[in-house]
Amino acid sequence: MEQGQLLTEEEKRVGVYYTERPTDPSLVTPATRLDELNLNWSEKDLPERERTKHVHRLHPYLGKFIPQLVEVFLRKYFRAGETVYDPFCGSGTTLVEANILGINSIGCDIAAFNCLLSRVKTAEYDVALMRKEVLDILAKVEDRTQATLFSQQLVDDEFEDTDNEYLLRWFAPRARKELLIYRSLIPNYRYQDLLKVILSRAARSARLTTHFDLDFPKQPQTEPYYCYKHSRICYPVREAFKFLKRYSLDTIHRVEQYSRLRTKAEVTVLWGDARTIELPRKIDGVITSPPYVGLIDYHEQHRYAYELLDLPICSENEIGAAFKGNSQNAKEVYQREIASVFAHTGEYMDSGKRMIIVVRDRDKLYDDIAAQCGFECEGTLRRHVNRRTGRRANEFFEEILIWRKK
């Protein structure tokens, strides 16, 4: 296929161009034209280890965009020392990538766990101390919970179980004990938020659920079951320590990797509603992936973390949450709320600055939003997402909207 050749009638409608060879994000410059971009990376072009490099996989997160996509538009539209804003920062992908390029960033999210995760990913660490603390708390939990040749029965007089109904229901007694003891030790360390993320990641894997349904399990799995992931009979998880150990070592490795790339660029994470949040300063543009209407409950996907870490829940204020449905009325409400976010964001932007929005707009809800918010559509790219986390039956496409402040 020749460079610049239009693909289909649908792509002609939105003005999408395609080049034969997928774009290398590191080669993008401000001079790179939109019609030179091919963002349809295959698994061979962009293997999973690259899509989840360093801190991008500190904790599972549904609905995030890949870092390479963010890198493309940071390199094209931003300069070192400028500030990019993500009003739906989620797991912090925009913030992480911006920092690597020396670009200041501000992120906002209504979900407290998302803000915790974003801060942990982008924090500056004394790497030696970080490693020492992660290994030290792990050793202490092991001493208090793991049987030895001389102690076949675990005894811990200091352990107090919880009365939290969710934790009692979703974790076997041994797993719950190991998680709660780890939690009780966190206040003894400097990098408490990092330890909370390790604890949360372990809790996700240690729940009483099937191996193939870790995202939104409906009921605890307490009996053996046929596992579609492993094609055999599997058993519910009864312990958590093995996950604490696995993710502790993985976290050390990932934080060390990112620390070698991290710059002194400023990162600010704000917990609040992007429709009304007060930003600390003006911004030079936006790169964001808003929630899709009626698709994901962002608080519920990390329910175990909210219960274990006692985080505040603001799910009623989620825009486009799955529990709100995808009826025509829900779509109209979603459209108004998204427009409100972008209109408010525009108050912090000068004329000519750009907003990059990555979205799956099957219902064409974004066609009229730009004009309502004081933006004009400068271009649209359509991207084939041929590799995604989780199981997917159908082809998946998303649009990248490039809006310019009037």
Side-chain angles (χ1 to χ4, degrees), residues 24 30 55 65 115 127 151 259 270 272 314 318 322 327:
D24 180 344
V55 294
F65 46 13
C115 293
V127 173
S151 175
S259 294
L270 305 173
C314 302
E318 282 186 35
S327 65

Side-chain angles (χ1 to χ4, degrees), residues 354-369:
R354 291 175 177 83
M355 182 178 292
I356 313 302
I357 305 166
V358 181
V359 67
R360 187 187 185 190
D361 191 21
R362 292 183 300 178
D363 300 303
K364 310 305 176 190
L365 301 178
Y366 283 75
D367 284 354
D368 301 323
I369 292 179

